[in-house]
Amino acid sequence: MDKSPSLPLVRRIFADYCDRHGLSLICDKGSGQAGYIELADGRRRFFRGTHFDLNPLGAAEIADDKAYTLSFLKRDGFTVPESILVHGSDVLASLRVHKPWIAAKMHSAEDALHFAEAVGYPVFVKPNSGQEGEDVVRLDKQADLQRTLTDLLMRHSSLLVQKAVEGADLRIMVLDGKVLLALDRQPVQVEGDGERTVEQLAFGVAGLNFRDPRVEPELTRQGLCSASIPDKGQIVELLPNKNLSAGAKARDITNNVADDLKETAVSMCENLGLRYAGIDLIAENPKKPESRYAVLEVNAAPGLNRYAAQGTEELAKVTSVYERVLDALTGKST
């Protein structure tokens, strides 16, 4: 079975697992991103990318909607950031005609401006549905927020505006009531050497698109531009979010996360009806019991490719996570 490094990581791990356990792996002949594992009794377990036959469809759909996820978690007593969901003018106009009772409960970009003034800056704006940190923007001023809302609502039907929360940015991987891995995600950043410009330093950041429109505002926030030469040792953040897909790095802190925070992540999964998920949250001090936290979102199909690419140790940990996922898929963990 082909396990070439050019194939997707999940496909390679699945192929090795199926070889060892005598199972059939059927994949599409193009990208290798979709397929199924056929069990000995003929049952099939399908996957597409990192979407596996583990989570119920309804639960996964809720998790894909950030506002729904946070509203249900807040209802259950979990801590979430202060947020407002806003919709584009075309969406609101249509609903006012066809479903005015729903439109009356929805918010516009103008409402988001009032919200930000009330809770205080900075705030984050993000698509209500979406992954890998695409179009996530941090804003410090009303004029910038207004401009960003206008721009993003041309591409997204709804946006979530959230009060920024300070602390460690964690992703906690949960499967069937157990924490498999906890990652502390670091900012996408460079360290000045007193000689090279920010743009030159950024060439060494794997996965970063320096032409990302969010880079310039982030540099401006720090009083810099792409041609600036940071002092030696000066840390420059390049993006407002810490998604690994955008060039951020992560370190494993699984053994250093307080038990009650792990239990909180597990409870979130259970309350949302998910067997497998990545919980993204901000924790004031992950090591300290009863530390304050705020959950940002829940990913029902969390990817680990970028973390695996950091090195052989990280690859081994990711492989172990997917082995556990495969055990759950095939029934070997029961």
Side-chain angles (χ1 to χ4, degrees):
M1 193 168 292
D2 190 358
K3 289 174 278 188
S4 166
S6 63
L7 291 173
L9 175 63
V10 170
R11 162 76 181 272
R12 284 183 275 137
I13 294 173
F14 276 33
D16 179 69
Y17 183 94
C18 289
D19 280 351
R20 287 186 283 110
H21 292 278
L23 301 173
S24 297
L25 176 65
I26 309 299
C27 293
D28 72 285
K29 295 182 180 179
S31 66
Q33 291 277 5
Y36 60 86
I37 295 172
E38 187 165 279
L39 306 183
D41 61 5
R43 289 179 297 159
R44 296 175 177 181
R45 296 291 181 261
F46 287 86
F47 67 92
R48 182 178 181 184
T50 54
H51 294 261
F52 309 125
D53 268 349
L54 286 173
N55 294 321
L57 179 59
E61 287 290 313
I62 291 293
D64 190 51
D65 187 300
K66 296 178 177 64
Y68 275 144
T69 298
L70 295 182
S71 68
F72 288 132
L73 290 177
K74 182 178 180 179
R75 180 180 181 276
D76 287 341
F78 297 103
T79 305
V80 305
E82 295 181 84
S83 309
I84 185 172
L85 179 67
V86 300
H87 302 272
S89 56
D90 55 339
V91 174
L92 292 173
S94 176
L95 284 172
R96 289 184 185 116
V97 173
H98 301 289
K99 298 179 180 179
W101 62 93
I102 294 179
K105 300 177 182 179
M106 299 173 77
H107 299 288
S108 66
E110 184 177 351
D111 294 323
L113 296 173
H114 295 312
F115 166 82
E117 286 292 317
V119 302
Y121 289 88
V123 296
F124 278 90
V125 178
K126 61 183 72 174
N128 189 45
S129 295
Q131 298 178 349
E132 299 187 341
E134 182 180 0
D135 284 339
V136 176
V137 184
R138 174 186 168 121
L139 301 154
D140 296 287
K141 300 177 182 178
Q142 186 174 34
D144 294 336
L145 174 58
Q146 188 167 23
R147 184 167 51 252
T148 298
L149 290 170
T150 300
D151 175 43
L152 292 184
L153 284 172
M154 295 177 67
R155 303 198 300 275
H156 303 280
S157 61
S158 59
L159 300 171
L160 196 62
V161 182
Q162 287 184 332
K163 169 68 177 173
V165 181
E166 299 300 324
D169 190 320
L170 309 185
R171 165 161 288 186
I172 301 179
M173 304 289 296
V174 177
L175 172 65
D176 288 336
K178 297 180 180 178
V179 170
L180 302 184
L181 184 68
L183 300 177
D184 183 0
R185 301 186 291 189
Q186 306 300 308
V188 184
Q189 62 187 28
V190 293
E191 181 176 341
D193 59 10
E195 299 179 1
R196 289 180 289 174
T197 66
V198 171
E199 185 171 6
Q200 290 170 333
L201 292 166
F203 288 150
V205 180
L208 171 69
N209 173 16
F210 194 71
R211 302 306 169 198
D212 188 313
R214 297 171 295 173
V215 172
E216 184 178 351
E218 192 65 16
L219 294 178
T220 300
R221 186 178 66 82
Q222 299 165 84
L224 301 168
C225 67
S226 61
S228 298
I229 300 177
D231 295 335
K232 186 173 182 179
Q234 181 180 353
I235 300 300
V236 179
E237 295 191 12
L238 301 175
L239 286 175
N241 58 313
K242 299 178 182 179
N243 292 76
L244 303 189
S245 59
K249 300 293 184 182
R251 59 190 181 94
D252 178 9
I253 60 167
T254 308
N255 296 329
N256 295 319
V257 176
D259 288 341
D260 64 324
L261 189 57
K262 290 181 179 179
E263 291 167 4
T264 296
V266 168
S267 295
M268 288 180 192
C269 279
E270 292 175 347
N271 285 36
L272 291 172
L274 299 168
R275 292 183 61 189
Y276 174 62
I279 308 294
D280 292 347
L281 55 81
I282 302 293
E284 186 177 52
N285 185 348
K287 298 180 181 180
K288 183 181 178 182
E290 299 184 8
S291 173
R292 289 186 294 178
Y293 75 90
V295 58
L296 302 179
E297 58 188 80
V298 176
N299 195 323
L304 292 168
N305 288 20
R306 295 289 187 179
Y307 178 64
Q310 289 184 197
T312 54
E313 184 177 339
E314 290 84 354
L315 175 60
K317 292 176 180 177
V318 171
T319 300
S320 176
V321 168
Y322 283 130
E323 291 266 342
R324 297 280 292 277
V325 167
L326 284 160
D327 284 344
L329 269 175
T330 60
K332 294 185 180 300
S333 61
T334 60

